[in-house]
Amino acid sequence: VAPSPQVRPRVVREQTLWVSGEGRGGVHTFRVPLALVTPGGAVLVCAEGRKRSPDDVGAKIIACRRSPDGG
């Protein structure tokens, strides 16, 4: 089995989308983020919102944000 290549992302600009622990919107912790750019240039970012604790059990939501202008 060939070794996996190293991923070295280039950080162009950093933006805070969600802050865990503030309880905003009834969400205790945001985890497992995903970001992608559509063919049209829009940026879509989603994360799992864990409602009552950072644990794997309990209620969860999917939180998404979209930027049509590239971020």
Side-chain angles (χ1 to χ4, degrees):
V1 175
S4 298
Q6 281 283 7
V7 176
R8 298 175 199 265
R10 181 173 62 108
V11 177
V12 177
R13 180 176 52 188
E14 188 172 315
Q15 174 73 38
T16 301
L17 299 174
W18 299 285
V19 178
S20 294
E22 290 186 0
R24 298 180 74 172
V27 177
H28 181 278
T29 303
F30 291 98
R31 304 260 327 253
V32 195
L34 165 80
L36 62 95
V37 178
T38 68
V43 177
L44 180 63
V45 180
C46 297
E48 177 188 80
R50 296 181 178 194
K51 298 290 278 181
R52 293 183 178 84
S53 79
D55 299 331
D56 289 334
V57 298
K60 297 174 186 63
I61 64 166
I62 299 296
C64 294
R65 294 223 170 153
R66 180 179 171 272
S67 175
D69 62 1

